[in-house]
Amino acid sequence: MARDTLNSSVTSIGVIMNGVTGRMGTNQHLLRSIMAIRQQGGLRVSATHTVMPDPILVGRNEAKLEALAHRAGVDRWTTSLAKALDDPFNTIYFDAQLTQLRSSAVLQAIEAGKHIYCEKPTGVNTAEAYELYTRAKARGVCQGVVQDKLFLPGLLKLKWLIDSGFFGRILSIRGEFGYWVFTGHDQISAQRPSWNYRKDDGGGIIVDMLCHWRYVLDNLFGSVRSVVCMGATHVPERVDENGTPYRCTADDSAYAIFQLDGGMVAQFNSSWTVRVRRDDLLTLQVDGTNGSAVAGLRDCVMQPYAATPRPVWNPDQDSPIDFAKNWMTVPTNQIFDNGFKTQWELFLQHISTGSPFPYDLREGAKGVQLAELGLQSWSERRWVDVPELER
Amino acid sequence: MARDTLNSSVTSIGVIMNGVTGRMGTNQHLLRSIMAIRQQGGLRVSATHTVMPDPILVGRNEAKLEALAHRAGVDRWTTSLAKALDDPFNTIYFDAQLTQLRSSAVLQAIEAGKHIYCEKPTGVNTAEAYELYTRAKARGVCQGVVQDKLFLPGLLKLKWLIDSGFFGRILSIRGEFGYWVFTGHDQISAQRPSWNYRKDDGGGIIVDMLCHWRYVLDNLFGSVRSVVCMGATHVPERVDENGTPYRCTADDSAYAIFQLDGGMVAQFNSSWTVRVRRDDLLTLQVDGTNGSAVAGLRDCVMQPYAATPRPVWNPDQDSPIDFAKNWMTVPTNQIFDNGFKTQWELFLQHISTGSPFPYDLREGAKGVQLAELGLQSWSERRWVDVPELER
Amino acid sequence: MARDTLNSSVTSIGVIMNGVTGRMGTNQHLLRSIMAIRQQGGLRVSATHTVMPDPILVGRNEAKLEALAHRAGVDRWTTSLAKALDDPFNTIYFDAQLTQLRSSAVLQAIEAGKHIYCEKPTGVNTAEAYELYTRAKARGVCQGVVQDKLFLPGLLKLKWLIDSGFFGRILSIRGEFGYWVFTGHDQISAQRPSWNYRKDDGGGIIVDMLCHWRYVLDNLFGSVRSVVCMGATHVPERVDENGTPYRCTADDSAYAIFQLDGGMVAQFNSSWTVRVRRDDLLTLQVDGTNGSAVAGLRDCVMQPYAATPRPVWNPDQDSPIDFAKNWMTVPTNQIFDNGFKTQWELFLQHISTGSPFPYDLREGAKGVQLAELGLQSWSERRWVDVPELER
Amino acid sequence: MARDTLNSSVTSIGVIMNGVTGRMGTNQHLLRSIMAIRQQGGLRVSATHTVMPDPILVGRNEAKLEALAHRAGVDRWTTSLAKALDDPFNTIYFDAQLTQLRSSAVLQAIEAGKHIYCEKPTGVNTAEAYELYTRAKARGVCQGVVQDKLFLPGLLKLKWLIDSGFFGRILSIRGEFGYWVFTGHDQISAQRPSWNYRKDDGGGIIVDMLCHWRYVLDNLFGSVRSVVCMGATHVPERVDENGTPYRCTADDSAYAIFQLDGGMVAQFNSSWTVRVRRDDLLTLQVDGTNGSAVAGLRDCVMQPYAATPRPVWNPDQDSPIDFAKNWMTVPTNQIFDNGFKTQWELFLQHISTGSPFPYDLREGAKGVQLAELGLQSWSERRWVDVPELER
């Protein structure tokens, strides 16, 4: 349905999109967020004002850029980041490059006075990531970091339960993430890029996932105060994009326990070497004094106190309780748009109207910090406290 | 069907049962094991030889003993352990007392040359538990410790999968144990004795469960080499047997990670403050290169490599894969007797014929050791290695 | 999604398609293979090279050819095979004529130095079919034979099970092929051409299907070493294309047992006079020491050793085991293209890059050989060994 | 409900039961047939006459006999066959011994003028089995052989379909018998006696099952005229009753094709090394011009001509036809008693009233004959005709 923009002025906003030829950048950010916002007639940020993002693609491979521009229906693209930054029409800089390349490009964009929005992890270490925060703050530009898991419909339903007081006092959280990632040794091709499994290329599930768990825990439950984490490389060999076997040097599984503010404990398994006997690829079980819930990507089930069964341990007969049955599904009371697009809209709203956008570069740095401390915990075989990053 | 005992001689064996007036002692050991073996005509230990256990109940409360003897149809009982030990007809000593009382009684029985069979934990600390082993070994008596979880039908099926090579190389184990133990604050009475929640009375889920996890892990997968463990008292107040609220001083939840021989990692949650969104009160998920399985108390489901789905992360539509469906139940191809009785029969066979009985007092001490090291890990906030107890 | 062909040179390859006005030739080879490859922008055989097949239709009936060319969007067609062979642009000769006509045409094409790709059976007898192999080999042209059943999604899944070692040692194979082919005597028209049921016209299910079973068995399990086969003409009269009843002189059912290398036994029923009480029109059940599977056209179900039930023969009560339940569907972890097209692409890749293509004219001759020996076994009422055709 | 026997005279009939300490003899013949007939008040053979079988157990092991007699509530037992035969009260001789022992005992009983009823196979070879027929005929005693499969409720329903003309002309029969017999190598104990898998002890599935297929085919469809059969020992090692591995020397699988009178073809697989992906442990599919049916142990499904689907071979999409659905279950319009008991009642009726009993010792010899010819076919690798045994 066409939006009614009769009485509304439209402002075009140039958005530099750097490094979106990869799968996530192309699909989630370019096609399903920016182009989707364009197709819906822009984002109406007030009764009288609509903003229309106008992307310019930046990358290193001209042929790939041209092909993507053609495919997406974008007419602006360049291999020169400097040129894109020089153009005052472009007021937003978005970065989805490899993590190793992010910092210098973002700093350039900050210098050029652009608003910054970027993918996670926001740096290869906490110091680098935190510098982006302080520099952007000093320069006075708006800042944002992608925190897509918060916008999963299942987690939005969980948030609703939390906000409604359903749980009473929350006691503990169980996170299970992962699935069996085929190694590529047989007719079923490998599922993920080979660099994910090589340490030197920035791979490893701790680096990949603990960034996510930080903002999920901090935003939904309470600040992470301590972490113990251990990684493992359970599958030592996989087959790369060219069909060549290679040695896996990065962790494919992470076992972590977090202590949160208020005495809550969060236990998280992340693994590319498990099979899924649960509701979804990611599940969060939350147990509280008044009830429990388990959220997946799209659904969330709940068991209130009064529906809690009182089981008896008796291995001599089949359980009279069907433990899966006494849970009820949280209804889908609202339509959930693509989470990446939702966050883009919040950011566009933020830079246009000054509305709050809590996911700034300090939040991004906090994610990098938790991953870094997780690796430290693994190496030192002990619990590690999480120091606060100054605001 | 009656057992054919025509050509078989029958030997009566006096069994001292100390501390079986509690729920577990009465039901599992006296009624459903010893008396059940009597009712089936004894245990045929060879083609020509049957042994018939003949219990004598020992305890501190004469009234309770008499009532139990009457109820069970036992004609021998006494409050004097010394007297029972003096009688040469009694060749087995079984102990199901409170842990604090176990060591001295068992040592007396060893001194008296009785074969020892006892409940776990076998001591209040590793030193005490290990002493039972060395003393029994020196005295040359047979020894056994209850390790009932190994005889859960679900875990026997899991063992079958392991032995048949189903998993390929086993990578990791997830254990989830527990359920919501009602606090007794409302119309639903408390489910467990209040001492379970008081530190000074020997309570705490770490002490209770890590003994079990030790023998489960060591016997099914590989020796436990290191542990990190954290406890929590999520529910601070409960109501005791007299309806009086009391402060909980012991841990009601334990978060632990174990490193096993061969690089396997076992992650175990044990909790009396969770609700059950899984197959059973205890579930063990095992992931291997060639397949995975999840065992509960009685059932076990499996997913072979070739049935492993290749999911795509897409929160924008409901998953086309029903993750619960591609698991198949391991069929119940044999009849499983009560696990406690099975272990009693193995022990009776052992003392009669010298057949192997691997669950000796050293195994019992290993269970105590893991619980002790779990508590140490919690207190020191670090990984703790598990030293080998000499054979 | 458009293929990225930016840096790729494109070579057109003339493909002579002889005898594709029939149902299979038109649908599977012309429209769904060659034209589909054209529509997808050709076949990329390397990073820098794409081949584009350019068909020329050859046939005896000018009107039919013209109509088909028009329908398919092909601009080259001729009734003169000689002319098509003379044109050096045409480098591939494909033959889908009636079997009786195949040999002489293929030999002409070999003489003309064309690469050969053809339908099965590749000759009316083994000698004729084998000569195609030796002549093509001597002339040095590439060669290929359609073996479409190997590319059925269900059989590809079965192949995956085999390659992954799922079965342990394979013991036996059961093949059931067929369905009720209506005779045309009532309102339901006949389903297959009448020549299929006339011996003199090359009909008969042994000739038709044993070619398939040869390459299925040889490629998936092990070489066929001996055969016993019996045919039957269960339905003696059918109604032809003109509504006229005719006498059936060819076998409509074949009962065969094959001995394979390694002691495996394959039992195959092929019939146009059965009704289908099984998973699909063709099913292959494979039983191995570690598991069994049943493959159909698109799906495959499996039962691992540990899911094997232990039934008891008891006709006095309904079986407590639901024999259909303990089978699990092999997931569809990859997208399967049309099998004919896949084989065309493999062949085009083969002639362009020298990549392996195992299905040569010797393989075609082996199919003819098994059918011939099946007929011999029927006539001589005995087992017949399968001599090796020299490479 | 009690039988009304008010106006009925009751005659006791002494039944010598030789060799019923085995599983089948005890359960099916003694307990569930003879004792069940006693418990129902005997068999009313006419309006005024009831016969009451009165068993005397004969065997070689006194202890076993005594135990069985005690268990079954039988007061007559002896280790002397001669004595039992001497007693004129005993008019029926029933034999369920090992096959090797049968002939001489039955001949003794014939000599003594007893009516003969016996288990199959009735001899170790055709000559021996056929001699029982001629001798019993010459002596003028009644004769009967157990043919229990005919009395399976599923096969009785199939018989009803045949008799009602449901099939039109029957074209072909498919028999599948078998299941996975565990070898005893792991925690699941072996399922069948070890002698079944040793040639020298009379084992082998051809010897065991072809006796059955003979009477099933002859009685339901038409006389067997020729056979081709091949055996295989797919599993070379099993574990015996004492837990000792042994080499299997007898066939565990049989692949057979039979030609019947009237041009029908019956294809039968019998195997202890398959897994069951079908309706039941034994299934018979019958295809006729007017319909098809599949019978199991207790149920039978049917598909009439007019419900026959007209499928299209198209591997590119899931079949629009669910091949399992278009079959309907034959209703259970009568109560089926235990088949062994039914046959005993028919035999008692036969000796009491002269009512027909078609399953005589010649029928038994025909079963032995088919097994013998099946072995010959295997050894000579050819079809073997089945000569008629003179009446």
Side-chain angles (χ1 to χ4, degrees), chain C residues 199 204-207 209-210 213 226-232 251 253-259 266-270 369-385, chain D residues 228 257 259 265 267 381-383:
Chain C
K199 199 78 199 156
I205 200 165
I206 293 177
V207 164
M209 298 312 297
L210 263 65
W213 306 155
S226 307
V227 56
V228 73
C229 178
M230 191 187 64
D251 43 300
S253 298
Y255 305 87
I257 310 173
F258 306 103
Q259 287 181 302
Q267 193 282 315
F268 268 73
N269 294 321
S270 316
Q369 181 194 36
L370 191 64
E372 197 171 86
L373 297 176
L375 291 168
Q376 184 188 341
S377 165
W378 180 16
S379 141
E380 301 180 357
R381 308 190 75 223
R382 64 173 186 89
W383 282 88
V384 174
D385 290 334
Chain D
V228 73
I257 309 173
Q259 287 181 303
V265 178
Q267 194 281 315
R381 307 190 75 223
R382 64 174 184 88
W383 281 88

Side-chain angles (χ1 to χ4, degrees), chain A residues 127-161:
Chain A
E128 188 180 283
Y130 187 61
E131 191 195 358
L132 299 189
Y133 168 66
T134 53
R135 294 280 289 276
K137 191 176 150 200
R139 188 66 171 83
V141 295
C142 294
Q143 25 172 314
V145 174
V146 177
Q147 308 208 330
D148 55 286
K149 302 278 180 284
L150 289 178
F151 296 90
L152 290 172
L155 267 65
L156 289 169
K157 290 171 182 172
L158 179 63
K159 180 82 163 78
W160 184 45
L161 289 184

